[in-house]
Amino acid sequence: MKYKLSEVAYYSKEKIKTDELSPENYLSTENMLPEFGGITTASSLPTISTVTKYQPGDILLSNIRPYFKKLYYSISEGGCSNDVLCLCAKDNINKAFLYYSLKNDDFFKYVMATAKGTKMPRGDKSAIMDYELEVPDLETQKKIVHILSALDQKIELNNRLIDLLYSLGDAFYEKIQNDNPRTVTLKDISINYDKKRVPLSSRQREERRGKFPYYGATSILDYVDDYLFDGEYVLLGEDGTVMTNEGGAVLQYIWGKNWVNNHAHVLQGSEVSTEYLLFALRSVNVSTLVTGAVQPKINQENMNKIKLSIGSEDKMSEAEESIKTIVAQIRNLTNENKSLSDMRDTLLPKLMSGEINLNEITINE
């Protein structure tokens, strides 16, 4: 049965004091990741005294440039900025089912079609509530959520394994440095491909939708119909979000065919492998290299001066092989997550249409 969103959800009006929040549970459009990528830790807290409160099971939607598809299902209590809409499920819909129902291209196409503004479009809060979605009975909703959440749990497990592998790589890199290391600059051991970067506007990307990831300073921003790079690279944030809360560089390890805009430096290893370069850069504090008060930036000149420690020549071969093995496992888990995510998103319409027999599924309360 079709329902308007307003019939199954409402916007949160509850407030929470800013001094009760931390960077871990404050959400703004800046620390929500595109393409349903989840969230990161906020770089700062707002200066206003109160913000909108969210609860476990609420759905957070970034309302600036909706085409980025920033949507998050909350698992804790926190607060969000005015640019993030907090949707609360009514009693006639399962909270997770509502999230899965909005986590699709049709919803975001609708939000963009009814958005206000061209340069920086914002979703129209009233129009969003007119969006229509198919809502079966609660028992059917639970069965659909049971299937889709099983895939999400596997993705989450893989993410935890990926984090552990990165920690293992960091520990291994640190151990290598204790054995007669050499100090070099980034320029000495890397190849820079910044000249090959080409930025595309949001309108250009909309016209060039495709299968190749389009990277910005921190993450995949979109998918386009062509690629500029093919291989393994380390991306280091150039402007915007360029530094973590701990002072580290914002890094991405990417592989395959892809497109990178002009907000991230594009690097490969020369004297060392690209994988080894990744972990060397993960050990560096870049706080003294960042310029710009309004728009933080790590320019190419400052980046090239980064000092890195690499192992002694007789130990490098062993180190390279170990780090490549770790990164290969990270890649395998990341690729598996992409397949699981695609499967989950393909399943929902089939589950809703009855193509998959839900009567054979039982839910243990």
PDB file of all heavy atoms in Angstrom, residues 38-59:
ATOM      1  N   GLY A  38      27.899   6.258   5.543  1.00  0.00           N
ATOM      2  CA  GLY A  38      27.980   6.337   6.996  1.00  0.00           C
ATOM      3  C   GLY A  38      28.446   7.702   7.461  1.00  0.00           C
ATOM      4  O   GLY A  38      28.203   8.722   6.806  1.00  0.00           O
ATOM      5  N   ILE A  39      29.144   7.723   8.577  1.00  0.00           N
ATOM      6  CA  ILE A  39      29.584   8.984   9.173  1.00  0.00           C
ATOM      7  C   ILE A  39      31.042   8.884   9.618  1.00  0.00           C
ATOM      8  O   ILE A  39      31.584   7.786   9.755  1.00  0.00           O
ATOM      9  CB  ILE A  39      28.706   9.375  10.383  1.00  0.00           C
ATOM     10  CG1 ILE A  39      28.790   8.289  11.476  1.00  0.00           C
ATOM     11  CG2 ILE A  39      27.272   9.609   9.946  1.00  0.00           C
ATOM     12  CD1 ILE A  39      28.103   8.666  12.769  1.00  0.00           C
ATOM     13  N   THR A  40      31.641  10.046   9.846  1.00  0.00           N
ATOM     14  CA  THR A  40      32.964  10.123  10.456  1.00  0.00           C
ATOM     15  C   THR A  40      32.868  11.031  11.681  1.00  0.00           C
ATOM     16  O   THR A  40      31.827  11.635  11.940  1.00  0.00           O
ATOM     17  CB  THR A  40      34.005  10.690   9.477  1.00  0.00           C
ATOM     18  OG1 THR A  40      33.599  12.022   9.084  1.00  0.00           O
ATOM     19  CG2 THR A  40      34.117   9.828   8.232  1.00  0.00           C
ATOM     20  N   THR A  41      33.952  11.132  12.406  1.00  0.00           N
ATOM     21  CA  THR A  41      33.987  12.002  13.579  1.00  0.00           C
ATOM     22  C   THR A  41      33.965  13.460  13.138  1.00  0.00           C
ATOM     23  O   THR A  41      34.669  13.852  12.206  1.00  0.00           O
ATOM     24  CB  THR A  41      35.262  11.730  14.404  1.00  0.00           C
ATOM     25  OG1 THR A  41      35.278  10.349  14.778  1.00  0.00           O
ATOM     26  CG2 THR A  41      35.291  12.581  15.665  1.00  0.00           C
ATOM     27  N   ALA A  42      33.169  14.277  13.805  1.00  0.00           N
ATOM     28  CA  ALA A  42      33.086  15.701  13.464  1.00  0.00           C
ATOM     29  C   ALA A  42      34.395  16.409  13.805  1.00  0.00           C
ATOM     30  O   ALA A  42      35.060  16.074  14.795  1.00  0.00           O
ATOM     31  CB  ALA A  42      31.925  16.348  14.222  1.00  0.00           C
ATOM     32  N   SER A  43      34.769  17.377  12.989  1.00  0.00           N
ATOM     33  CA  SER A  43      36.003  18.135  13.245  1.00  0.00           C
ATOM     34  C   SER A  43      35.820  19.165  14.347  1.00  0.00           C
ATOM     35  O   SER A  43      36.778  19.597  14.979  1.00  0.00           O
ATOM     36  CB  SER A  43      36.467  18.824  11.960  1.00  0.00           C
ATOM     37  OG  SER A  43      35.455  19.694  11.468  1.00  0.00           O
ATOM     38  N   SER A  44      34.567  19.580  14.596  1.00  0.00           N
ATOM     39  CA  SER A  44      34.293  20.571  15.648  1.00  0.00           C
ATOM     40  C   SER A  44      32.816  20.497  16.030  1.00  0.00           C
ATOM     41  O   SER A  44      32.017  19.890  15.326  1.00  0.00           O
ATOM     42  CB  SER A  44      34.648  21.980  15.166  1.00  0.00           C
ATOM     43  OG  SER A  44      33.852  22.331  14.045  1.00  0.00           O
ATOM     44  N   LEU A  45      32.491  21.145  17.151  1.00  0.00           N
ATOM     45  CA  LEU A  45      31.103  21.225  17.597  1.00  0.00           C
ATOM     46  C   LEU A  45      30.558  22.614  17.297  1.00  0.00           C
ATOM     47  O   LEU A  45      31.326  23.581  17.195  1.00  0.00           O
ATOM     48  CB  LEU A  45      31.020  20.936  19.096  1.00  0.00           C
ATOM     49  CG  LEU A  45      31.367  19.509  19.526  1.00  0.00           C
ATOM     50  CD1 LEU A  45      31.354  19.392  21.050  1.00  0.00           C
ATOM     51  CD2 LEU A  45      30.394  18.505  18.930  1.00  0.00           C
ATOM     52  N   PRO A  46      29.253  22.757  17.155  1.00  0.00           N
ATOM     53  CA  PRO A  46      28.678  24.072  16.834  1.00  0.00           C
ATOM     54  C   PRO A  46      28.802  25.039  18.012  1.00  0.00           C
ATOM     55  O   PRO A  46      28.957  24.628  19.170  1.00  0.00           O
ATOM     56  CB  PRO A  46      27.212  23.740  16.536  1.00  0.00           C
ATOM     57  CG  PRO A  46      26.944  22.494  17.308  1.00  0.00           C
ATOM     58  CD  PRO A  46      28.219  21.706  17.277  1.00  0.00           C
ATOM     59  N   THR A  47      28.715  26.320  17.694  1.00  0.00           N
ATOM     60  CA  THR A  47      28.817  27.354  18.737  1.00  0.00           C
ATOM     61  C   THR A  47      27.461  27.692  19.344  1.00  0.00           C
ATOM     62  O   THR A  47      27.398  28.307  20.410  1.00  0.00           O
ATOM     63  CB  THR A  47      29.445  28.629  18.152  1.00  0.00           C
ATOM     64  OG1 THR A  47      28.670  29.058  17.019  1.00  0.00           O
ATOM     65  CG2 THR A  47      30.876  28.365  17.706  1.00  0.00           C
ATOM     66  N   ILE A  48      26.369  27.297  18.707  1.00  0.00           N
ATOM     67  CA  ILE A  48      25.042  27.580  19.255  1.00  0.00           C
ATOM     68  C   ILE A  48      24.778  26.657  20.452  1.00  0.00           C
ATOM     69  O   ILE A  48      25.392  25.592  20.584  1.00  0.00           O
ATOM     70  CB  ILE A  48      23.935  27.408  18.195  1.00  0.00           C
ATOM     71  CG1 ILE A  48      23.986  26.010  17.565  1.00  0.00           C
ATOM     72  CG2 ILE A  48      24.083  28.473  17.115  1.00  0.00           C
ATOM     73  CD1 ILE A  48      22.886  25.757  16.560  1.00  0.00           C
ATOM     74  N   SER A  49      23.854  27.063  21.318  1.00  0.00           N
ATOM     75  CA  SER A  49      23.654  26.352  22.589  1.00  0.00           C
ATOM     76  C   SER A  49      22.916  25.030  22.449  1.00  0.00           C
ATOM     77  O   SER A  49      23.158  24.091  23.210  1.00  0.00           O
ATOM     78  CB  SER A  49      22.913  27.253  23.582  1.00  0.00           C
ATOM     79  OG  SER A  49      21.642  27.630  23.059  1.00  0.00           O
ATOM     80  N   THR A  50      21.989  24.924  21.488  1.00  0.00           N
ATOM     81  CA  THR A  50      21.232  23.684  21.298  1.00  0.00           C
ATOM     82  C   THR A  50      21.124  23.334  19.821  1.00  0.00           C
ATOM     83  O   THR A  50      21.193  24.217  18.953  1.00  0.00           O
ATOM     84  CB  THR A  50      19.796  23.789  21.873  1.00  0.00           C
ATOM     85  OG1 THR A  50      19.072  24.798  21.161  1.00  0.00           O
ATOM     86  CG2 THR A  50      19.820  24.100  23.361  1.00  0.00           C
ATOM     87  N   VAL A  51      20.963  22.040  19.544  1.00  0.00           N
ATOM     88  CA  VAL A  51      20.748  21.553  18.181  1.00  0.00           C
ATOM     89  C   VAL A  51      19.658  20.480  18.236  1.00  0.00           C
ATOM     90  O   VAL A  51      19.221  20.073  19.316  1.00  0.00           O
ATOM     91  CB  VAL A  51      22.038  20.955  17.568  1.00  0.00           C
ATOM     92  CG1 VAL A  51      23.101  22.021  17.388  1.00  0.00           C
ATOM     93  CG2 VAL A  51      22.559  19.801  18.423  1.00  0.00           C
ATOM     94  N   THR A  52      19.224  20.017  17.080  1.00  0.00           N
ATOM     95  CA  THR A  52      18.206  18.970  17.017  1.00  0.00           C
ATOM     96  C   THR A  52      18.755  17.656  17.588  1.00  0.00           C
ATOM     97  O   THR A  52      19.874  17.261  17.274  1.00  0.00           O
ATOM     98  CB  THR A  52      17.758  18.742  15.564  1.00  0.00           C
ATOM     99  OG1 THR A  52      17.215  19.958  15.047  1.00  0.00           O
ATOM    100  CG2 THR A  52      16.695  17.651  15.486  1.00  0.00           C
ATOM    101  N   LYS A  53      17.944  17.021  18.392  1.00  0.00           N
ATOM    102  CA  LYS A  53      18.345  15.748  19.002  1.00  0.00           C
ATOM    103  C   LYS A  53      17.883  14.578  18.147  1.00  0.00           C
ATOM    104  O   LYS A  53      16.801  14.603  17.575  1.00  0.00           O
ATOM    105  CB  LYS A  53      17.723  15.622  20.398  1.00  0.00           C
ATOM    106  CG  LYS A  53      18.134  14.370  21.161  1.00  0.00           C
ATOM    107  CD  LYS A  53      17.524  14.367  22.561  1.00  0.00           C
ATOM    108  CE  LYS A  53      17.982  13.160  23.360  1.00  0.00           C
ATOM    109  NZ  LYS A  53      17.438  13.176  24.751  1.00  0.00           N
ATOM    110  N   TYR A  54      18.734  13.564  18.030  1.00  0.00           N
ATOM    111  CA  TYR A  54      18.313  12.325  17.381  1.00  0.00           C
ATOM    112  C   TYR A  54      18.466  11.155  18.348  1.00  0.00           C
ATOM    113  O   TYR A  54      19.261  11.202  19.284  1.00  0.00           O
ATOM    114  CB  TYR A  54      19.076  12.075  16.077  1.00  0.00           C
ATOM    115  CG  TYR A  54      20.568  11.829  16.204  1.00  0.00           C
ATOM    116  CD1 TYR A  54      21.060  10.572  16.548  1.00  0.00           C
ATOM    117  CD2 TYR A  54      21.490  12.839  15.940  1.00  0.00           C
ATOM    118  CE1 TYR A  54      22.421  10.325  16.642  1.00  0.00           C
ATOM    119  CE2 TYR A  54      22.853  12.617  16.034  1.00  0.00           C
ATOM    120  CZ  TYR A  54      23.322  11.356  16.384  1.00  0.00           C
ATOM    121  OH  TYR A  54      24.668  11.121  16.489  1.00  0.00           O
ATOM    122  N   GLN A  55      17.662  10.111  18.115  1.00  0.00           N
ATOM    123  CA  GLN A  55      17.630   8.933  18.968  1.00  0.00           C
ATOM    124  C   GLN A  55      17.993   7.697  18.139  1.00  0.00           C
ATOM    125  O   GLN A  55      17.969   7.738  16.904  1.00  0.00           O
ATOM    126  CB  GLN A  55      16.215   8.747  19.539  1.00  0.00           C
ATOM    127  CG  GLN A  55      15.667   9.935  20.304  1.00  0.00           C
ATOM    128  CD  GLN A  55      16.110   9.935  21.757  1.00  0.00           C
ATOM    129  OE1 GLN A  55      16.955   9.147  22.155  1.00  0.00           O
ATOM    130  NE2 GLN A  55      15.526  10.825  22.547  1.00  0.00           N
ATOM    131  N   PRO A  56      18.320   6.580  18.804  1.00  0.00           N
ATOM    132  CA  PRO A  56      18.545   5.337  18.048  1.00  0.00           C
ATOM    133  C   PRO A  56      17.334   5.002  17.175  1.00  0.00           C
ATOM    134  O   PRO A  56      16.193   5.074  17.626  1.00  0.00           O
ATOM    135  CB  PRO A  56      18.739   4.289  19.148  1.00  0.00           C
ATOM    136  CG  PRO A  56      19.249   5.063  20.322  1.00  0.00           C
ATOM    137  CD  PRO A  56      18.549   6.393  20.251  1.00  0.00           C
ATOM    138  N   GLY A  57      17.594   4.662  15.918  1.00  0.00           N
ATOM    139  CA  GLY A  57      16.516   4.334  14.994  1.00  0.00           C
ATOM    140  C   GLY A  57      16.011   5.505  14.183  1.00  0.00           C
ATOM    141  O   GLY A  57      15.204   5.322  13.266  1.00  0.00           O
ATOM    142  N   ASP A  58      16.468   6.718  14.492  1.00  0.00           N
ATOM    143  CA  ASP A  58      16.111   7.870  13.663  1.00  0.00           C
ATOM    144  C   ASP A  58      16.950   7.850  12.385  1.00  0.00           C
ATOM    145  O   ASP A  58      18.032   7.255  12.333  1.00  0.00           O
ATOM    146  CB  ASP A  58      16.334   9.181  14.412  1.00  0.00           C
ATOM    147  CG  ASP A  58      15.303   9.410  15.508  1.00  0.00           C
ATOM    148  OD1 ASP A  58      14.284   8.705  15.504  1.00  0.00           O
ATOM    149  OD2 ASP A  58      15.540  10.282  16.369  1.00  0.00           O
ATOM    150  N   ILE A  59      16.451   8.536  11.362  1.00  0.00           N
ATOM    151  CA  ILE A  59      17.126   8.578  10.064  1.00  0.00           C
ATOM    152  C   ILE A  59      17.587   9.998   9.805  1.00  0.00           C
ATOM    153  O   ILE A  59      16.778  10.935   9.840  1.00  0.00           O
ATOM    154  CB  ILE A  59      16.183   8.098   8.950  1.00  0.00           C
ATOM    155  CG1 ILE A  59      15.766   6.645   9.224  1.00  0.00           C
ATOM    156  CG2 ILE A  59      16.848   8.204   7.578  1.00  0.00           C
ATOM    157  CD1 ILE A  59      14.558   6.205   8.452  1.00  0.00           C
TER     158      ILE A  59
END
